[in-house]
Amino acid sequence: MAGTDEPSGVDQVFLSLERELAVFLRRARATSGELARAVHPELESAAYGLLVRLADAGRQRATDLAGYFGVGKATMSRQLRALEDLGLIAREPDPADGRAVLVRLTDEGHDRFSRVRNSRRAQYARQLASWDRREVAELARLLHRLNGEQDAEEGCCTAGTAGTEGKTGTPPGKGERTGNG
């Protein structure tokens, strides 16, 4: 392997996996910015994942969102304030604890997000139109498994795949790790 930075004896299967995941993640990061701007021209790409989470999980406490994404309270507060200023989220008292506040999508936030998410899903369908549906299902199953194993290794479910399977046992069609739901 002269001329490369790869150590001798590296398993080429895992090297290939690493390369493909790097390309996928690079594209996902770029797409996250596009999706955020499609929701609202002033929306930061990092905040798009918050909309995904709120759309999928419903009302959440800011501290739970911070834990889910693995960020500090100050970072979460700043992102939520920006979303609130754009009219995409609202805060309301937690009926279970009057001292706590829940964050939820506004009707406008839900409408804007749903429009972009539906467009993204249609794009996936076009991109994978030549694939057999079993192949698409297998890809989703394997990604779900990879995400679950990473969650278990981290000792938590910061990416949100743990406990999110549907009643049929099929993996959810989410993009929380990259913010591309």
Side-chain angles (χ1 to χ4, degrees), residues 13-179:
V13 171
F14 288 101
L15 207 63
S16 177
L17 173 64
E18 179 184 40
R19 284 188 197 112
E20 295 305 319
L21 284 174
V23 170
F24 181 80
L25 292 172
R26 178 183 49 79
R27 287 183 175 151
R29 280 190 296 274
T31 300
S32 185
E34 295 168 13
L35 294 171
R37 286 185 297 280
V39 171
H40 193 285
E42 297 176 36
L43 184 64
E44 294 180 28
S45 62
Y48 182 80
L50 284 169
L51 299 179
V52 172
R53 179 64 180 167
L54 291 170
D56 291 343
R59 301 179 309 171
Q60 302 275 296
R61 289 183 179 188
T63 53
D64 293 338
L65 288 166
Y68 179 83
F69 287 102
V71 299
K73 290 182 206 176
T75 298
M76 184 54 57
S77 179
R78 182 185 61 77
Q79 289 181 343
L80 290 174
R81 190 171 30 259
L83 287 170
E84 192 171 29
D85 290 347
L86 295 174
L88 302 174
I89 65 158
R91 300 171 199 250
E92 58 190 33
D94 183 345
D97 180 353
R99 300 166 297 168
V101 174
L102 296 175
V103 179
R104 66 168 177 81
L105 289 176
T106 61
D107 289 343
E108 180 181 358
H110 183 270
D111 292 346
R112 285 174 174 255
F113 173 75
S114 294
R115 186 178 65 249
V116 170
R117 179 180 251 187
N118 290 339
S119 175
R120 179 69 173 151
R121 287 178 176 166
Q123 183 180 8
Y124 283 141
R126 286 190 305 275
Q127 289 173 335
L128 300 175
S130 66
W131 289 35
D132 184 283
R133 288 186 61 81
R134 289 181 302 251
E135 291 174 317
V136 176
E138 181 67 1
L139 176 60
R141 186 189 71 76
L142 291 171
L143 288 172
H144 182 72
R145 180 178 171 188
L146 177 63
N147 289 335
E149 288 175 7
Q150 287 177 334
D151 288 345
E153 187 173 299
E154 294 168 4
C156 63
C157 50
T158 58
T161 58
T164 59
E165 287 187 12
K167 291 183 180 180
T168 61
T170 57
K174 299 185 189 243
E176 277 105 278
R177 285 193 182 276
T178 59

